mmCIF file with all atom_site columns, all heavy atoms in Angstrom:
data_model
loop_
_atom_site.group_PDB
_atom_site.id
_atom_site.type_symbol
_atom_site.label_atom_id
_atom_site.label_alt_id
_atom_site.label_comp_id
_atom_site.label_asym_id
_atom_site.label_entity_id
_atom_site.label_seq_id
_atom_site.pdbx_PDB_ins_code
_atom_site.Cartn_x
_atom_site.Cartn_y
_atom_site.Cartn_z
_atom_site.occupancy
_atom_site.B_iso_or_equiv
_atom_site.pdbx_formal_charge
_atom_site.auth_seq_id
_atom_site.auth_comp_id
_atom_site.auth_asym_id
_atom_site.auth_atom_id
_atom_site.pdbx_PDB_model_num
ATOM 1   N N   . GLY Y 1 109 ? -0.789 -21.752 -11.072 1.00 0.00 ? 109 GLY Y N   1
ATOM 2   C CA  . GLY Y 1 109 ? 0.333  -22.648 -11.350 1.00 0.00 ? 109 GLY Y CA  1
ATOM 3   C C   . GLY Y 1 109 ? 1.443  -21.911 -12.071 1.00 0.00 ? 109 GLY Y C   1
ATOM 4   O O   . GLY Y 1 109 ? 2.642  -22.060 -11.768 1.00 0.00 ? 109 GLY Y O   1
ATOM 5   N N   . ALA Y 1 110 ? 1.051  -21.061 -13.034 1.00 0.00 ? 110 ALA Y N   1
ATOM 6   C CA  . ALA Y 1 110 ? 2.033  -20.259 -13.770 1.00 0.00 ? 110 ALA Y CA  1
ATOM 7   C C   . ALA Y 1 110 ? 2.693  -19.227 -12.853 1.00 0.00 ? 110 ALA Y C   1
ATOM 8   O O   . ALA Y 1 110 ? 3.882  -18.932 -12.962 1.00 0.00 ? 110 ALA Y O   1
ATOM 9   C CB  . ALA Y 1 110 ? 1.354  -19.539 -14.948 1.00 0.00 ? 110 ALA Y CB  1
ATOM 10  N N   . MET Y 1 111 ? 1.933  -18.702 -11.912 1.00 0.00 ? 111 MET Y N   1
ATOM 11  C CA  . MET Y 1 111 ? 2.478  -17.741 -10.936 1.00 0.00 ? 111 MET Y CA  1
ATOM 12  C C   . MET Y 1 111 ? 3.550  -18.401 -10.071 1.00 0.00 ? 111 MET Y C   1
ATOM 13  O O   . MET Y 1 111 ? 4.620  -17.859 -9.857  1.00 0.00 ? 111 MET Y O   1
ATOM 14  C CB  . MET Y 1 111 ? 1.346  -17.205 -10.039 1.00 0.00 ? 111 MET Y CB  1
ATOM 15  C CG  . MET Y 1 111 ? 0.372  -16.285 -10.752 1.00 0.00 ? 111 MET Y CG  1
ATOM 16  S SD  . MET Y 1 111 ? -1.160 -15.999 -9.796  1.00 0.00 ? 111 MET Y SD  1
ATOM 17  C CE  . MET Y 1 111 ? -0.517 -15.116 -8.366  1.00 0.00 ? 111 MET Y CE  1
ATOM 18  N N   . LEU Y 1 112 ? 3.243  -19.605 -9.575  1.00 0.00 ? 112 LEU Y N   1
ATOM 19  C CA  . LEU Y 1 112 ? 4.211  -20.339 -8.757  1.00 0.00 ? 112 LEU Y CA  1
ATOM 20  C C   . LEU Y 1 112 ? 5.473  -20.649 -9.545  1.00 0.00 ? 112 LEU Y C   1
ATOM 21  O O   . LEU Y 1 112 ? 6.591  -20.514 -9.044  1.00 0.00 ? 112 LEU Y O   1
ATOM 22  C CB  . LEU Y 1 112 ? 3.582  -21.655 -8.274  1.00 0.00 ? 112 LEU Y CB  1
ATOM 23  C CG  . LEU Y 1 112 ? 2.572  -21.591 -7.142  1.00 0.00 ? 112 LEU Y CG  1
ATOM 24  C CD1 . LEU Y 1 112 ? 1.976  -22.980 -6.899  1.00 0.00 ? 112 LEU Y CD1 1
ATOM 25  C CD2 . LEU Y 1 112 ? 3.178  -21.038 -5.866  1.00 0.00 ? 112 LEU Y CD2 1
ATOM 26  N N   . GLU Y 1 113 ? 5.280  -21.071 -10.785 1.00 0.00 ? 113 GLU Y N   1
ATOM 27  C CA  . GLU Y 1 113 ? 6.421  -21.441 -11.632 1.00 0.00 ? 113 GLU Y CA  1
ATOM 28  C C   . GLU Y 1 113 ? 7.334  -20.239 -11.884 1.00 0.00 ? 113 GLU Y C   1
ATOM 29  O O   . GLU Y 1 113 ? 8.563  -20.339 -11.786 1.00 0.00 ? 113 GLU Y O   1
ATOM 30  C CB  . GLU Y 1 113 ? 5.896  -21.987 -12.958 1.00 0.00 ? 113 GLU Y CB  1
ATOM 31  C CG  . GLU Y 1 113 ? 6.941  -22.615 -13.860 1.00 0.00 ? 113 GLU Y CG  1
ATOM 32  C CD  . GLU Y 1 113 ? 7.560  -23.850 -13.248 1.00 0.00 ? 113 GLU Y CD  1
ATOM 33  O OE1 . GLU Y 1 113 ? 6.856  -24.675 -12.648 1.00 0.00 ? 113 GLU Y OE1 1
ATOM 34  O OE2 . GLU Y 1 113 ? 8.804  -23.987 -13.374 1.00 0.00 ? 113 GLU Y OE2 1
ATOM 35  N N   . LYS Y 1 114 ? 6.721  -19.095 -12.167 1.00 0.00 ? 114 LYS Y N   1
ATOM 36  C CA  . LYS Y 1 114 ? 7.507  -17.878 -12.424 1.00 0.00 ? 114 LYS Y CA  1
ATOM 37  C C   . LYS Y 1 114 ? 8.221  -17.421 -11.145 1.00 0.00 ? 114 LYS Y C   1
ATOM 38  O O   . LYS Y 1 114 ? 9.383  -17.003 -11.196 1.00 0.00 ? 114 LYS Y O   1
ATOM 39  C CB  . LYS Y 1 114 ? 6.568  -16.770 -12.937 1.00 0.00 ? 114 LYS Y CB  1
ATOM 40  C CG  . LYS Y 1 114 ? 7.290  -15.468 -13.309 1.00 0.00 ? 114 LYS Y CG  1
ATOM 41  C CD  . LYS Y 1 114 ? 8.229  -15.686 -14.490 1.00 0.00 ? 114 LYS Y CD  1
ATOM 42  C CE  . LYS Y 1 114 ? 8.870  -14.385 -14.906 1.00 0.00 ? 114 LYS Y CE  1
ATOM 43  N NZ  . LYS Y 1 114 ? 9.992  -14.594 -15.839 1.00 0.00 ? 114 LYS Y NZ  1
ATOM 44  N N   . ALA Y 1 115 ? 7.537  -17.524 -10.021 1.00 0.00 ? 115 ALA Y N   1
ATOM 45  C CA  . ALA Y 1 115 ? 8.154  -17.145 -8.736  1.00 0.00 ? 115 ALA Y CA  1
ATOM 46  C C   . ALA Y 1 115 ? 9.359  -18.033 -8.466  1.00 0.00 ? 115 ALA Y C   1
ATOM 47  O O   . ALA Y 1 115 ? 10.424 -17.553 -8.028  1.00 0.00 ? 115 ALA Y O   1
ATOM 48  C CB  . ALA Y 1 115 ? 7.124  -17.273 -7.614  1.00 0.00 ? 115 ALA Y CB  1
ATOM 49  N N   . TYR Y 1 116 ? 9.209  -19.334 -8.718  1.00 0.00 ? 116 TYR Y N   1
ATOM 50  C CA  . TYR Y 1 116 ? 10.332 -20.262 -8.491  1.00 0.00 ? 116 TYR Y CA  1
ATOM 51  C C   . TYR Y 1 116 ? 11.480 -19.945 -9.456  1.00 0.00 ? 116 TYR Y C   1
ATOM 52  O O   . TYR Y 1 116 ? 12.639 -19.899 -9.053  1.00 0.00 ? 116 TYR Y O   1
ATOM 53  C CB  . TYR Y 1 116 ? 9.864  -21.709 -8.689  1.00 0.00 ? 116 TYR Y CB  1
ATOM 54  C CG  . TYR Y 1 116 ? 11.019 -22.634 -8.962  1.00 0.00 ? 116 TYR Y CG  1
ATOM 55  C CD1 . TYR Y 1 116 ? 11.929 -22.943 -7.951  1.00 0.00 ? 116 TYR Y CD1 1
ATOM 56  C CD2 . TYR Y 1 116 ? 11.240 -23.151 -10.232 1.00 0.00 ? 116 TYR Y CD2 1
ATOM 57  C CE1 . TYR Y 1 116 ? 13.016 -23.750 -8.202  1.00 0.00 ? 116 TYR Y CE1 1
ATOM 58  C CE2 . TYR Y 1 116 ? 12.333 -23.957 -10.493 1.00 0.00 ? 116 TYR Y CE2 1
ATOM 59  C CZ  . TYR Y 1 116 ? 13.208 -24.261 -9.465  1.00 0.00 ? 116 TYR Y CZ  1
ATOM 60  O OH  . TYR Y 1 116 ? 14.310 -25.045 -9.731  1.00 0.00 ? 116 TYR Y OH  1
ATOM 61  N N   . GLN Y 1 117 ? 11.162 -19.754 -10.726 1.00 0.00 ? 117 GLN Y N   1
ATOM 62  C CA  . GLN Y 1 117 ? 12.215 -19.472 -11.724 1.00 0.00 ? 117 GLN Y CA  1
ATOM 63  C C   . GLN Y 1 117 ? 12.996 -18.214 -11.369 1.00 0.00 ? 117 GLN Y C   1
ATOM 64  O O   . GLN Y 1 117 ? 14.226 -18.170 -11.518 1.00 0.00 ? 117 GLN Y O   1
ATOM 65  C CB  . GLN Y 1 117 ? 11.602 -19.325 -13.105 1.00 0.00 ? 117 GLN Y CB  1
ATOM 66  C CG  . GLN Y 1 117 ? 11.118 -20.643 -13.722 1.00 0.00 ? 117 GLN Y CG  1
ATOM 67  C CD  . GLN Y 1 117 ? 10.364 -20.437 -15.018 1.00 0.00 ? 117 GLN Y CD  1
ATOM 68  O OE1 . GLN Y 1 117 ? 10.168 -19.303 -15.472 1.00 0.00 ? 117 GLN Y OE1 1
ATOM 69  N NE2 . GLN Y 1 117 ? 9.917  -21.524 -15.613 1.00 0.00 ? 117 GLN Y NE2 1
ATOM 70  N N   . ASN Y 1 118 ? 12.314 -17.199 -10.886 1.00 0.00 ? 118 ASN Y N   1
ATOM 71  C CA  . ASN Y 1 118 ? 12.972 -15.954 -10.501 1.00 0.00 ? 118 ASN Y CA  1
ATOM 72  C C   . ASN Y 1 118 ? 13.982 -16.198 -9.372  1.00 0.00 ? 118 ASN Y C   1
ATOM 73  O O   . ASN Y 1 118 ? 15.107 -15.660 -9.398  1.00 0.00 ? 118 ASN Y O   1
ATOM 74  C CB  . ASN Y 1 118 ? 11.957 -14.918 -10.047 1.00 0.00 ? 118 ASN Y CB  1
ATOM 75  C CG  . ASN Y 1 118 ? 11.289 -14.205 -11.227 1.00 0.00 ? 118 ASN Y CG  1
ATOM 76  O OD1 . ASN Y 1 118 ? 11.511 -14.572 -12.375 1.00 0.00 ? 118 ASN Y OD1 1
ATOM 77  N ND2 . ASN Y 1 118 ? 10.458 -13.230 -10.950 1.00 0.00 ? 118 ASN Y ND2 1
ATOM 78  N N   . ILE Y 1 119 ? 13.585 -16.971 -8.372  1.00 0.00 ? 119 ILE Y N   1
ATOM 79  C CA  . ILE Y 1 119 ? 14.500 -17.260 -7.258  1.00 0.00 ? 119 ILE Y CA  1
ATOM 80  C C   . ILE Y 1 119 ? 15.649 -18.130 -7.745  1.00 0.00 ? 119 ILE Y C   1
ATOM 81  O O   . ILE Y 1 119 ? 16.796 -17.940 -7.352  1.00 0.00 ? 119 ILE Y O   1
ATOM 82  C CB  . ILE Y 1 119 ? 13.745 -17.929 -6.105  1.00 0.00 ? 119 ILE Y CB  1
ATOM 83  C CG1 . ILE Y 1 119 ? 12.890 -16.901 -5.375  1.00 0.00 ? 119 ILE Y CG1 1
ATOM 84  C CG2 . ILE Y 1 119 ? 14.729 -18.575 -5.109  1.00 0.00 ? 119 ILE Y CG2 1
ATOM 85  C CD1 . ILE Y 1 119 ? 12.226 -17.398 -4.103  1.00 0.00 ? 119 ILE Y CD1 1
ATOM 86  N N   . ALA Y 1 120 ? 15.334 -19.093 -8.600  1.00 0.00 ? 120 ALA Y N   1
ATOM 87  C CA  . ALA Y 1 120 ? 16.366 -20.022 -9.102  1.00 0.00 ? 120 ALA Y CA  1
ATOM 88  C C   . ALA Y 1 120 ? 17.465 -19.300 -9.881  1.00 0.00 ? 120 ALA Y C   1
ATOM 89  O O   . ALA Y 1 120 ? 18.591 -19.778 -9.968  1.00 0.00 ? 120 ALA Y O   1
ATOM 90  C CB  . ALA Y 1 120 ? 15.722 -21.091 -9.970  1.00 0.00 ? 120 ALA Y CB  1
ATOM 91  N N   . MET Y 1 121 ? 17.145 -18.129 -10.432 1.00 0.00 ? 121 MET Y N   1
ATOM 92  C CA  . MET Y 1 121 ? 18.157 -17.348 -11.148 1.00 0.00 ? 121 MET Y CA  1
ATOM 93  C C   . MET Y 1 121 ? 19.120 -16.671 -10.183 1.00 0.00 ? 121 MET Y C   1
ATOM 94  O O   . MET Y 1 121 ? 20.209 -16.269 -10.574 1.00 0.00 ? 121 MET Y O   1
ATOM 95  C CB  . MET Y 1 121 ? 17.482 -16.299 -12.027 1.00 0.00 ? 121 MET Y CB  1
ATOM 96  C CG  . MET Y 1 121 ? 16.868 -16.872 -13.284 1.00 0.00 ? 121 MET Y CG  1
ATOM 97  S SD  . MET Y 1 121 ? 16.406 -15.600 -14.482 1.00 0.00 ? 121 MET Y SD  1
ATOM 98  C CE  . MET Y 1 121 ? 14.963 -14.889 -13.717 1.00 0.00 ? 121 MET Y CE  1
ATOM 99  N N   . LEU Y 1 122 ? 18.730 -16.570 -8.921  1.00 0.00 ? 122 LEU Y N   1
ATOM 100 C CA  . LEU Y 1 122 ? 19.561 -15.848 -7.938  1.00 0.00 ? 122 LEU Y CA  1
ATOM 101 C C   . LEU Y 1 122 ? 20.353 -16.790 -7.014  1.00 0.00 ? 122 LEU Y C   1
ATOM 102 O O   . LEU Y 1 122 ? 21.264 -16.335 -6.320  1.00 0.00 ? 122 LEU Y O   1
ATOM 103 C CB  . LEU Y 1 122 ? 18.670 -14.943 -7.066  1.00 0.00 ? 122 LEU Y CB  1
ATOM 104 C CG  . LEU Y 1 122 ? 17.932 -13.803 -7.787  1.00 0.00 ? 122 LEU Y CG  1
ATOM 105 C CD1 . LEU Y 1 122 ? 17.098 -13.042 -6.791  1.00 0.00 ? 122 LEU Y CD1 1
ATOM 106 C CD2 . LEU Y 1 122 ? 18.920 -12.870 -8.478  1.00 0.00 ? 122 LEU Y CD2 1
#
Side-chain angles (χ1 to χ4, degrees):
M111 290 166 65
L112 285 175
E113 189 64 41
K114 183 64 177 168
Y116 160 70
Q117 287 173 359
N118 279 7
I119 286 188
M121 285 193 286
L122 297 179

